[in-house]
Amino acid sequence: MFESLGPVNDVELGKYEDALNQMMEDDSIYNVGLTGPYGAGKSSIIESYKTENEQMKFIHVALGKYDTIDDDSNSLVLNQQEVTPEMKSVNQKISEAPTQPFKEFKEIEGKIINQLLHQVNVKNVPQAFTKVKKNNSVRKIIVWAIIVPLVLAFSIFLLRFDDWAAFVQINHMNLLYRTINPSLRVFAAAALLGLIGYLTYVFGSAQINRSLIRKVSIRGNEIELFKNSENSFFDEHLNEVIYLFENSGADVIVFEDLDRFGSTDVFRKLRELNQLINKRKQDDLAGKDTHKKLVFLYLIKDDIFVSKDRTKFFDLIIPVVPTVSSSNSFNKMMEIFGSIKEIDRTFLRNLSFYIDDMRLIKNIFNEYTIYDSEINTSSLDQNKLLGMVTYKNIFPRDFSQLQYGKGFIYSILNNKRDTYDQEKSIIDSEIFNLESELEELESSSLVSFDRLKETHLTTESILVDGESEDTYPTRMEYVRKVLEGKNLSKVKLKKYQNYSNLYTKSSEPISLESLLKKMGDTPEYQQDKKIVEDIKNGKKVIVSSKIQDLKIKKKQVETQPLSEVFDSNHFEKELQGHEDIKNSGYYDLILFLLSNGYIDENYEDYMNYFYPNDLKREDKLFVRNLLSSSKGDPSKKLRNIESLIEILKNEDYKKVGILNFSLSEYIIDKKMENQFSTILSVARQNHNYKFVLDLYENLLKYNDEKGTENILFFTVTLFSTWKNFLSYAIKKYENKGISEERDNLLKDLVFDGLIYLNSDNEAYEKENSILVEFINQNSSLLENVSEATWNQFSENGITKLEKMEIKLTKINHEQMYNKLFKSIIKNDLYEFNYENIEEIALFEGIVPDRSGIGKFKHESLTRLMNSENSQVHNPV
């Protein structure tokens, strides 16, 4: 069942009935205001009162001025099919009005009379200045069809009687001899006079009542019988207007929506008119059966008068308490939508905060019912459907533009890459801060609190057992002795009196606690203490984990729906170009629907009929672009790729427009090797290495088993189609300057090639000097090796590294998988330099920790040669 948007006639009136009864009974009340916001239920109150008082006659004059696409179209015009030439003359005068307010004011007056004319019985107002068109009876038409020919016949008969008599006699027409009888001539004259008298009466009444003839021309001079002027319509035709109201037979004339014009002039005119009409009725100047008072009842908003003037204008004001507002609309929405279980109640409550009109609620339900019936499939979200219908009702113009790829919502959804870029920028900032923190942790030589004290303890002039620091082999041994806290003293110097350059030396005991307190008060110590605490608490592992999580999150940004990365700043920026949305009191509804995902990239599914195999708008634009051999935007999402592939021919895959991420990802997922190889060939021919890397980056967003299979398929197909891709991309980026993000992406791709490609793949040869140098300088790409991938890497990757004669410039045993580091040492895959020797020494336990690196520098060769591991001392 659908909900009627019209007023109901079964409202419980309560005190409203008492107020309306007083309106009818009190002879001092003529102008009454029934006030309340739009949708408060004013019309329903009147309809219910009419139902209970059928003996009363109400005439409704409803004027509307509503928001349209073009504000100029808001003006009222009289229905051209309903008005007579007299009313057209009024409209012509309106159209020639010099100013818009006066023009609109006259339109309102004309519209009031126009509506009143069509609700009053024509017999009650025979002298009305215009006549309402209606169908004439067949009988009346027959009468006029007889009268007019008779007048003509009698006239000819009388004027040419002698000729007629001669004609009958000469031709011996015996049957017509009676027609030449002189007595018949007298009868014809009398009948003609009677018919002429009747015609004179009819046309005379029409001229008197409706002024059929306005101008008379005598010898070129015009005499205007009914003059037009630039006066108000009511003023110009005051007699006719009063006559029409007096003889309408109405007890109450209800004026609806006059307040939509935002002018009080028409209220002033109507009040003056009402006073004049009721004064004539009281003085019995209006004629019989018009003695009862006439009430003007205005259904308007409270704020039409901005001051207390409204109490001067109205004889009685009846306020209407709204049945629906934003504070209680949820209850009404539950009454209407409550039976639909698929709609979330929380969403319904949140939506109710933006709806404050009962008619709007009803129409949303009606349209939702139709949309649900016509386009619904099992995959559609009922909450999104309701959100779309609500948006359509409140912003119908923008909804219409959305269907044609225009408007505010479309600009938000179409420019979502700005939102994604901003989200990536935020993540990059977080990664930078964490990497700075990790670098600080890793670069610190402070790995214990003892080491911290050794570094920051102030030992100047401190003696241990009477011995100074210079008596110890190293400072560290001296500081350790100080930290034992035994027999500590401090040297003091005292000047000789009268000698500025001579001092006496003495000592006094000092406690370790005072030294530690002084050390602990320095900001440098506190900063390094926090680093040591973080290291002890595993902060490096935690920070590294956060960095990895953020990098994964960054890769997945563009796979997220817009609602998850929605930015209100971007919303406000787009809003600047859409003043109609910005100036609407409901624009935050769009913000709510977008930010919560009730309107998203799949909006078309909730606007049109669903055909399973039909191409969507984005798909059609892609095909059109492809067939014209034009370059397209690879990031444009395609919707129905399965149907799209069905219509693509083999030669279509060779066109430059085929480069699209959505299509390529689908082809990779379906393992369509020939098609994907052709796409890569197009990228190679157009030197579009960026497309390949961006596609690879998209694939990295999926960390499941299916994602791993797709990476394998991508890698194998890429290096069989474009063998020197890595060298080409590395060289291009080195020439242009490579970002950290692209550098990491290339490292990932190199690693996947090492692990997935067979050892004899031509892409990984020692002759490929660019790739060899890249691997030598970027050993961090091997940090992806883990226990889960070691077996496969040891089979394919190590073999390739040996074949390429890789010599890693910098290795880090802490960042690499244990078995990988052993293999690097075993297969001599590192450059023989001091930094790498340090890492090997730490890995083999030749140096217990990094605190011993300083001493190792002076005896590194000796320690390495003494190592039992031949893989360590043989290179030396």
Side-chain angles (χ1 to χ4, degrees), residues 758-771:
N758 294 329
S759 58
D760 59 350
N761 190 279
E762 296 179 11
Y764 289 80
E765 297 284 350
K766 68 177 181 179
E767 290 77 14
N768 193 341
S769 58
I770 295 176
L771 180 58

Side-chain angles (χ1 to χ4, degrees), residues 69-112:
I69 292 177
D70 184 354
D71 289 338
D72 293 338
S73 65
N74 284 333
S75 60
L76 290 170
V77 291
L78 303 181
N79 189 330
Q80 298 300 315
Q81 295 180 346
E82 297 179 353
V83 298
T84 61
E86 291 80 0
M87 295 301 289
K88 288 183 179 179
S89 176
V90 173
N91 281 342
Q92 184 178 2
K93 287 194 297 179
I94 291 172
S95 65
E96 295 171 355
T99 61
Q100 181 64 27
F102 182 72
K103 172 185 175 181
E104 190 172 80
F105 181 65
K106 294 194 73 173
E107 288 179 10
I108 296 172
E109 293 182 331
K111 190 68 175 179
I112 290 173

Side-chain angles (χ1 to χ4, degrees), residues 402 406-416 570 574-575 578:
L402 180 61
K406 301 177 182 178
F408 177 63
I409 287 286
Y410 179 79
S411 67
I412 290 287
L413 297 175
N414 193 52
N415 298 333
K416 64 182 179 180
H570 177 56
E574 291 291 339
L575 197 60
H578 299 270

Side-chain angles (χ1 to χ4, degrees), residues 249-301:
D251 297 288
V252 180
I253 296 182
V254 182
F255 296 95
E256 298 185 52
D257 295 330
L258 278 179
D259 51 348
R260 291 185 183 271
F261 293 89
S263 172
T264 58
D265 289 340
V266 66
F267 291 94
R268 176 178 55 80
K269 281 286 185 179
L270 287 172
R271 177 180 172 80
E272 293 172 359
L273 188 62
N274 178 272
Q275 289 176 332
L276 186 58
I277 292 170
N278 281 290
K279 179 65 175 175
R280 285 173 55 81
K281 287 177 175 287
Q282 291 175 0
D283 296 342
D284 200 23
L285 299 176
K288 60 179 181 178
D289 298 330
T290 58
H291 57 278
K292 59 184 179 181
K293 73 171 185 175
L294 178 62
V295 175
F296 284 4
L297 178 60
Y298 306 90
L299 276 54
I300 57 174
K301 294 192 301 180

Side-chain angles (χ1 to χ4, degrees), residues 344-602:
D344 181 65
R345 295 299 176 266
T346 302
F347 170 57
L348 206 60
R349 178 175 289 280
N350 291 335
L351 195 62
S352 68
F353 296 140
Y354 303 93
I355 300 176
D356 53 7
D357 190 322
M358 189 64 186
R359 290 191 188 95
L360 186 59
I361 294 175
K362 290 181 176 180
N363 197 59
I364 288 172
F365 173 77
N366 292 345
E367 294 197 15
Y368 167 83
T369 302
I370 292 175
Y371 270 75
D372 181 50
S373 172
E374 295 300 320
I375 70 172
N376 189 24
T377 67
S378 58
S379 62
L380 287 189
D381 185 328
Q382 295 298 298
N383 296 307
K384 290 184 178 181
L385 180 59
L386 178 57
M388 180 62 72
V389 171
T390 303
Y391 154 69
K392 176 180 182 292
N393 274 266
I394 297 180
F395 298 98
R397 179 184 181 184
D398 199 63
F399 177 86
S400 177
Q401 290 180 327
L402 180 61
Q403 292 178 307
Y404 296 99
K406 301 177 182 178
F408 177 63
I409 287 286
Y410 179 79
S411 67
I412 290 287
L413 297 175
N414 193 52
N415 298 333
K416 64 182 179 180
R417 177 161 291 279
D418 294 341
T419 304
Y420 288 148
D421 290 343
Q422 188 167 358
E423 180 70 9
K424 286 181 179 180
S425 177
I426 294 172
I427 295 174
D428 282 336
S429 178
E430 294 179 21
I431 291 175
F432 176 79
N433 293 334
L434 288 172
E435 286 180 339
S436 299
E437 184 178 354
L438 182 61
E439 183 179 356
E440 186 178 18
L441 291 173
E442 290 180 339
S443 62
S444 174
S445 60
L446 305 173
V447 294
S448 67
F449 288 106
D450 290 338
R451 179 69 175 169
L452 177 67
K453 293 174 183 177
E454 291 172 0
T455 304
H456 287 278
L457 188 65
T458 302
T459 58
E460 184 181 357
S461 302
I462 302 298
L463 304 177
V464 182
D465 292 330
E467 296 181 349
S468 62
E469 179 180 344
D470 55 7
T471 62
Y472 286 84
T474 64
R475 170 173 166 75
M476 292 306 164
E477 290 183 19
Y478 164 71
V479 172
R480 287 169 187 161
K481 201 67 177 176
V482 172
L483 290 173
E484 290 178 3
K486 297 177 181 179
N487 301 322
L488 301 179
S489 59
K490 184 174 182 179
V491 175
K492 295 189 68 176
L493 298 176
K494 185 177 180 181
K495 287 183 180 181
Y496 275 110
Q497 191 173 9
N498 301 324
Y499 294 93
S500 59
N501 296 323
L502 295 178
Y503 296 85
T504 60
K505 183 185 295 185
S506 63
S507 64
E508 62 180 17
I510 189 171
S511 66
L512 177 63
E513 288 74 17
S514 63
L515 294 175
L516 293 177
K517 184 177 185 303
K518 182 179 179 181
M519 176 187 70
D521 290 339
T522 62
E524 293 82 3
Y525 172 81
Q526 294 296 331
Q527 182 178 353
D528 286 349
K529 180 184 176 184
K530 184 177 185 305
I531 293 175
V532 173
E533 288 174 345
D534 289 341
I535 293 174
K536 290 290 185 183
N537 295 328
K539 186 68 177 290
K540 285 199 292 185
V541 177
I542 295 172
V543 172
S544 296
S545 178
K546 286 183 178 179
I547 291 173
Q548 292 303 316
D549 290 343
L550 285 171
K551 287 181 177 179
I552 293 173
K553 180 180 179 182
K554 181 180 176 181
K555 292 177 181 178
Q556 295 176 338
V557 163
E558 294 190 13
T559 65
Q560 294 176 305
L562 179 65
S563 58
E564 294 189 16
V565 293
F566 186 80
D567 179 39
S568 58
N569 292 327
H570 177 56
F571 178 86
E572 294 293 337
K573 179 181 177 182
E574 291 291 339
L575 197 60
Q576 299 306 316
H578 299 270
E579 295 300 323
D580 54 335
I581 302 291
K582 184 179 179 180
N583 296 331
S584 169
Y586 297 95
Y587 83 90
D588 50 353
L589 168 67
I590 295 182
L591 181 61
F592 164 71
L593 294 174
L594 286 171
S595 60
N596 289 277
Y598 295 115
I599 295 180
D600 58 17
E601 299 88 337
N602 300 317

Side-chain angles (χ1 to χ4, degrees), residues 410 616-626:
Y410 179 79
K616 303 299 182 181
R617 184 179 60 85
E618 296 93 330
D619 307 328
K620 293 176 181 177
L621 289 175
F622 172 79
V623 173
R624 188 186 306 167
N625 189 68
L626 181 66

